[in-house]
Amino acid sequence: MDMLKEVFSSKHMLSLGKPMLLTRFLQPVTGIGLVVANGETWSHERRVIGPAFHSDKLKGFVQTMVNLTLNMSESWVQTLSKHGEGEIEIEGSMNELTSDIIAHTQFGSSYKRGRIIFQLLEELKEFINKYGHLLIIPGVRYLPIPAFMRLRKMTTIVETSIQEIIMERRAAVKAGKKSSYGADLLGLMLSECERIGEDKKQPLLTMQQLVDECKTFFFAGHETTAQLLTWALLLLAHDLTWQERARTEILNFCKGKLPDFDSISRMKTVEMIIYETLRLFAPASSIVRSALCDMKIGDLYVKKGMCFWIPIAAIHLDPELWGGSVYEFNPGRFADGISKAAKHPMAFMPFAHGPRNCIGQNFALIEAKAVLAVLLTKFSFTPSPSYRHSPHLMITTRPKYGAPIIVKRVSSSQH
């Protein structure tokens, strides 16, 4: 763990990066965004984009997250029986919900086009799952093969669509039709670009970099949060005690009103459930760091191009770090915070550690809290007999055979 601490430290943030094979694998859906950028390119992009993901900037998105979850709840009610109970495939619902949330929060009033972009990115993601093993071959994507021709066409459509939205925003501000670029993620990013661009020592992000960051937010902001919510609801369906504790906490803080940023910020039980879900089913099972130059890590001399594989899933399920109950769902282990949940303060790493940690973790945690705060006050969840437990690693950890759950409306008299 001591070597792990050094790998994640700021000392090596420019000399350790993402390997070229990973870049080739993810490039269709992320471009060269923060997920795969390295060195000074990564450092500059992080400085420009980072402020848009501070909690004070994200609090304005909570109402959108809550409203979209309420819309989904209404559609659930329509599908339940007259007794207010039925089976719902949770994974599909969470995918749909988080895609709506990212489309609204990233593109605001342009969310309809955002949804079209998202659908194409979903197709690109399926392409990676099917042909990703070939993408690591240099130049293979340019071969005149139908599948790769479709890949190039989809990539062009996605990038052109995002460019049009960006150019429209800039044109509207330049013409004085709008006073700002907007309060959505794209608007915050463009505003930050302009602010930093006033310092002539630093260049603005290029159009391609802006497009790549939008693609990255779509992919990372949707896929990982959808799986987090899916696994959280599955775990709560199998543990009615923690489900009821969370429901009681939500009702106490919301006091009959809709959740808002202040109320969800105080929901410690919900937060512990989210952390325990991330421990048991981390969105990414491992992290890879590649040496960008010859270097020394601890007592180890590392040649340029060598990789460190950090097995998140194995660390999260190590009895020596987490104790004998490591395989049990026990959110209470996070009662005293993340650093004291295990025997080593860095044992919990769903978002990595250090300067290259996940820039969107605040967004993901706020979104997960907002969604659970709505759903747990409107429905109760119990296991479905048709559920087959089989975590399956694709790009993220997903339930291989879906996630059916028995959903039942919670009457107001039960609140």
Side-chain angles (χ1 to χ4, degrees):
M1 295 299 289
D2 290 335
M3 182 175 289
L4 192 63
K5 184 177 181 180
E6 185 168 350
V7 168
F8 283 131
S9 71
S10 58
K11 175 182 176 182
H12 300 297
M13 68 179 181
L14 297 181
S15 52
L16 282 172
K18 301 298 176 70
M20 182 56 67
L21 291 182
L22 181 66
T23 301
R24 290 177 187 153
F25 180 77
L26 290 177
Q27 192 170 355
V29 288
T30 66
I32 310 298
L34 275 175
V35 170
V36 294
N38 287 324
E40 289 296 338
T41 300
W42 167 82
S43 179
H44 176 57
E45 290 182 3
R46 180 87 182 203
R47 280 197 301 272
V48 174
I49 298 164
F53 286 89
H54 290 169
S55 293
D56 60 328
K57 298 283 182 67
L58 299 177
K59 64 174 63 176
F61 297 142
V62 173
Q63 184 176 352
T64 298
M65 296 169 178
V66 168
N67 289 340
L68 291 171
T69 308
L70 288 171
N71 292 344
M72 185 193 70
S73 299
E74 289 302 314
S75 69
W76 281 10
V77 170
Q78 301 303 317
T79 64
L80 300 179
S81 70
K82 62 181 180 179
H83 302 294
E85 183 175 345
E87 183 181 275
I88 290 179
E89 214 300 311
I90 292 293
E91 186 185 21
S93 294
M94 294 303 104
N95 273 318
E96 185 73 16
L97 174 60
T98 55
S99 68
D100 275 342
I101 288 174
I102 202 69
H104 279 77
T105 55
Q106 182 164 334
F107 288 127
S109 60
S110 308
Y111 78 91
K112 289 183 179 179
R113 277 189 288 174
R115 288 286 292 149
I116 295 172
I117 293 169
F118 170 78
Q119 289 165 6
L120 288 169
L121 285 173
E122 277 290 282
E123 191 174 340
L124 285 170
K125 186 179 70 178
E126 293 305 316
F127 179 94
I128 286 179
N129 288 330
K130 190 174 182 179
Y131 298 107
H133 62 290
L134 297 176
L135 290 174
I136 63 174
I137 302 172
V140 71
R141 72 187 65 220
Y142 302 108
L143 293 176
I145 298 172
F148 291 104
M149 291 170 69
R150 174 65 177 162
L151 168 66
R152 294 195 295 273
K153 182 178 179 181
M154 287 190 295
T155 301
T156 299
I157 294 172
V158 167
E159 295 190 353
T160 301
S161 299
I162 296 174
Q163 287 174 14
E164 288 174 354
I165 294 173
I166 292 171
M167 288 188 291
E168 287 173 10
R169 296 276 183 101
R170 284 176 164 169
V173 171
K174 188 174 182 180
K177 295 178 181 178
K178 291 186 177 180
S179 59
S180 72
Y181 293 109
D184 52 29
L185 286 174
L186 176 59
L188 293 174
M189 186 166 62
L190 289 172
S191 297
E192 197 62 24
C193 279
E194 185 176 86
R195 184 186 69 79
I196 292 180
E198 292 173 357
D199 179 358
K200 296 181 180 179
K201 296 179 182 179
Q202 283 192 325
L204 292 168
L205 294 184
T206 65
M207 176 62 80
Q208 187 60 51
Q209 286 175 314
L210 288 168
V211 168
D212 286 347
E213 296 310 334
C214 287
K215 290 166 66 177
T216 297
F217 299 157
F218 251 117
F219 169 71
H222 155 256
E223 176 80 7
T224 54
T225 312
Q227 295 310 316
L228 164 58
L229 288 165
T230 298
W231 289 115
L233 290 172
L234 279 169
L235 289 167
L236 289 174
H238 286 80
D239 194 317
L240 300 184
T241 300
W242 278 103
Q243 183 181 151
E244 191 54 40
R245 285 184 189 177
R247 184 175 292 112
T248 300
E249 179 184 72
I250 295 164
L251 293 171
N252 285 341
F253 283 127
C254 292
K255 302 184 184 302
K257 299 179 181 178
L258 292 176
D260 57 20
F261 181 79
D262 291 333
S263 61
I264 66 173
S265 297
R266 293 182 288 161
M267 295 178 186
K268 185 176 180 179
T269 300
V270 175
E271 184 173 80
M272 291 191 298
I273 288 169
I274 291 170
Y275 288 156
E276 181 70 342
T277 302
L278 288 168
R279 184 186 71 84
L280 290 169
F281 300 103
S285 64
S286 62
I287 297 173
V288 188
R289 292 287 186 269
S290 176
L292 304 179
C293 58
D294 293 346
M295 59 191 301
K296 185 180 179 183
I297 302 284
D299 296 327
L300 187 67
Y301 288 93
V302 182
K303 298 292 289 181
K304 179 181 178 180
M306 293 183 68
C307 291
F308 290 88
W309 285 81
I310 302 161
I312 298 176
I315 293 171
H316 281 186
L317 296 173
D318 186 346
E320 292 187 9
L321 291 170
W322 297 91
S325 64
V326 66
Y327 298 109
E328 298 175 11
F329 175 65
N330 177 24
R333 71 178 82 244
F334 289 97
D336 295 322
I338 290 174
S339 62
K340 296 182 180 179
K343 295 179 182 178
H344 194 283
M346 293 185 68
F348 183 66
M349 57 180 74
F351 301 109
H353 286 293
R356 286 208 68 146
N357 66 351
C358 175
I359 195 172
Q361 61 179 299
N362 286 336
F363 184 95
L365 293 173
I366 290 171
E367 180 180 0
K369 282 186 178 182
V371 172
L372 291 176
V374 173
L375 294 182
L376 288 172
T377 55
K378 293 192 170 295
F379 306 98
S380 63
F381 303 91
T382 51
S384 169
S386 61
Y387 173 67
R388 289 191 291 167
H389 187 64
S390 182
H392 180 55
L393 179 62
M394 295 176 74
I395 295 178
T396 55
T397 306
R398 305 174 63 177
K400 185 175 182 179
Y401 302 109
I405 293 180
I406 302 300
V407 177
K408 185 176 181 179
R409 292 186 68 181
V410 176
S411 65
S412 56
S413 60
Q414 293 177 271
H415 287 178

